[in-house]
Structures are given as structure tokens and as C-alpha cells.
Amino acid sequence: MNDEHIRSLIAVKKTILQPPKKNFFIDKTNHFCLHNNFTCVSTENKEDSFYVFLRKSTIIPEAFSIGLKYDKENILLLRVNGKHKHANKENKDTFNAFHVHTVNEIQLSKGITNSFDAFQCKEYNSFTSALLFFCKTCGIIEIERYLASMCQISIEELL
């Protein structure tokens, strides 16, 4: 799989097949982490299905992760993370910021299916805005139908 194919899988329009639960559920191994997930499928090729996971901390609002996994190849294509200290393996960049991981063909050729390297992102600053950014980046349509309750903006996020 080359970088162009990876980018096209991320960007292709997707409809939600199995929607997320109405409420997040508590992780049985970590009571400070909430989970939810859903599946979606490409509007161009119904054989291209994807799994989306949503994770967020109950105590640290900027600690979250939203990811897009390509089912056919079991590859985590893209992961949107909250603000925390991060160090890239390849270029050795370090930062404490909101960031995005995207797998690439070099990593895949080495057998890495979950990118460790990331780039800083100023497009979002909360779980809610990250979820909207993620859905736009990943071409997920009809989010108002399934994700409206998760996209409610709190007064703190407006300040």
C-alpha cells in the first residue's frame, strides 16, 4: 500500500454502518477511561470497511484518542490525539501538543501498522472539536444523525 492509497482510504466518503452507543462506556481495566466505537463503509467500494474508536479520560479533558482502522488490512490509518508529551521515533521531534498520527508506506514496508510518529495539529483543542476534525478529515458523512450528542460543545470550550 503506497502513500497515495493510504490518503485515499482516509479521505474517501464513508457512511456509518454500525453507529456508536448513545453513551460512552467505562473501560473495565481503567475506570478513568471512557470508550465508544462505530464502523463505517466507503461509499465508493462497500468492501472497504473501517473501525473507528473513541477514547477519552474522565479526569484529564485533553487526554483522548480517536482512530480510523482499515479492516481489510488491519492497519490504523489515522489517529487524532489530545495534548500530551510526544516524541517521534524517526525525526526525533518532541512536543507537548494536540497531534495526529498517520501511517505511511515506509512504516508499512517495515511491518509497522500503527504510526508512532505524529505532527502537531492546531485544528482542534478539545475532544469535541477533534471529533469534528476527525470526521471531516476521514470523510465520515451523516455525523449529525449518529454523533450529535457527542458533538455538544460545552461552555468551557467556547471560552
Side-chain angles (χ1 to χ4, degrees), residues 86-98:
H86 176 79
N88 282 336
K89 303 254 187 250
E90 292 288 320
N91 64 16
K92 308 297 184 206
D93 282 352
T94 60
F95 47 83
N96 185 7
F98 296 96

Side-chain angles (χ1 to χ4, degrees), residues 48-116:
D48 285 337
S49 62
F50 304 86
Y51 172 80
V52 175
F53 64 83
L54 311 164
R55 308 287 181 260
K56 65 181 183 175
S57 170
T58 60
I59 54 176
I60 305 169
E62 59 274 351
F64 58 81
S65 186
I66 306 169
L68 178 71
K69 190 176 214 179
Y70 181 47
D71 286 338
K72 192 183 286 185
E73 303 282 337
N74 197 29
I75 296 170
L76 187 57
L77 298 173
L78 182 121
R79 189 170 77 249
V80 172
N81 278 66
K83 184 178 180 180
H84 64 84
K85 189 172 183 181
H86 176 79
N88 282 336
K89 303 254 187 250
E90 292 288 320
N91 64 16
K92 308 297 184 206
D93 282 352
T94 60
F95 47 83
N96 185 7
F98 296 96
H99 57 279
V100 177
H101 297 260
T102 305
V103 75
N104 61 48
E105 65 183 289
I106 294 169
Q107 292 165 332
L108 291 177
S109 71
K110 295 177 181 178
I112 299 168
T113 57
N114 179 1
S115 177
F116 297 112

Side-chain angles (χ1 to χ4, degrees), residues 11 17 30 50 52 58 61 69 85 104 106-107 121 125 129-130 137-138 143 148 151 155 158:
L17 197 59
N30 178 354
F50 304 86
V52 175
T58 60
K69 190 176 214 179
K85 189 172 183 181
N104 61 48
I106 294 169
Q107 292 165 332
C121 186
N125 61 7
S129 59
T137 302
C138 295
I143 64 169
C151 293
I155 196 71
L158 294 173

